[in-house]
Amino acid sequence: MNIEQNIIGTRSGYAEFESAYVPFISFANDGQKNAIENYIFMQVDEFFKKIYPAGVIRTQLSYSKLITEEDFKDFNKVKISYFYENLFHDLERGSDGKLELKIKWSITFDERCTPIQLANLHPNYRGYEHKLSSKDGKTRKYGIIEINRIPIFYYIYFTLKEILDVAKQIPKIPTFGNCI
């Protein structure tokens, strides 16, 4: 039996990733890429509106800079400079002298980075039987990195199926040699 083992590619040199455990995901065209990114930003906006209804300053940490819990197991791999360069570099003090909350976030496909599940409680909730869901009935799992019990980074979990479902909704654009 002749098996061609070219099913999954490896990252190219231009895409430097901090972690060996973060997959490189790509799609065939900019239409898919833009639709998926718009979907992700819409979901992230909804997520943060639930957690911080009054709003919060937040920025995306580049997906290529993401590290996972597996990276933390090797203390020689994750240097303290990683945190300063990626999470703390833009911290500022407010007029009261306290650090201003500037949250970073990134998506993750690693469920182990996201042990918390966002819950929507019914307005009549009285301490029993609640449903975990969002407007579309989905739950959003997440994980955090904290300083003094204050979240400074959010891992926001997306499934590959969820991303593929968005990609499949985009009208197919014929490419050279492939008329659909």
Side-chain angles (χ1 to χ4, degrees), residues 32-100:
Q32 289 175 320
K33 175 189 176 299
N34 293 337
I36 292 163
E37 286 179 346
N38 288 338
Y39 172 79
I40 289 170
F41 288 127
M42 181 184 69
Q43 293 294 312
V44 168
D45 284 346
E46 183 180 316
F47 171 83
F48 279 110
K49 283 177 188 169
K50 289 176 186 172
I51 294 181
Y52 300 100
V56 67
I57 299 169
R58 66 180 192 268
T59 57
Q60 179 187 8
L61 177 68
S62 171
Y63 180 68
S64 66
K65 297 293 182 188
L66 188 65
I67 58 175
T68 70
E69 50 83 34
E70 196 66 31
D71 295 304
F72 285 104
K73 290 180 181 176
D74 182 0
F75 293 113
N76 294 323
K77 170 118 173 72
V78 179
K79 306 280 187 225
I80 194 74
S81 62
Y82 169 85
F83 297 96
Y84 288 106
E85 292 167 5
N86 295 291
L87 301 179
F88 308 145
H89 70 279
D90 62 348
L91 289 178
E92 297 174 0
R93 294 198 182 273
S95 58
D96 59 0
K98 293 182 180 179
L99 285 178
E100 291 182 358

Side-chain angles (χ1 to χ4, degrees), residues 1-2 8 41 44 59 68 76 88 90 103 112 127 156-157 169 173:
M1 173 157 72
N2 186 8
I8 298 173
F41 288 127
V44 168
T59 57
T68 70
N76 294 323
F88 308 145
D90 62 348
I103 294 174
R112 291 179 67 175
I156 303 175
Y157 181 65
Q169 293 175 13
I173 301 169

Side-chain angles (χ1 to χ4, degrees), residues 36 39 43 136 138-140 157-167:
I36 292 163
Y39 172 79
Q43 293 294 312
D136 55 8
K138 296 178 185 173
T139 58
R140 181 65 60 203
Y157 181 65
F158 286 82
T159 65
L160 190 53
K161 179 192 179 313
E162 180 180 8
I163 299 302
L164 289 174
D165 286 348
V166 172

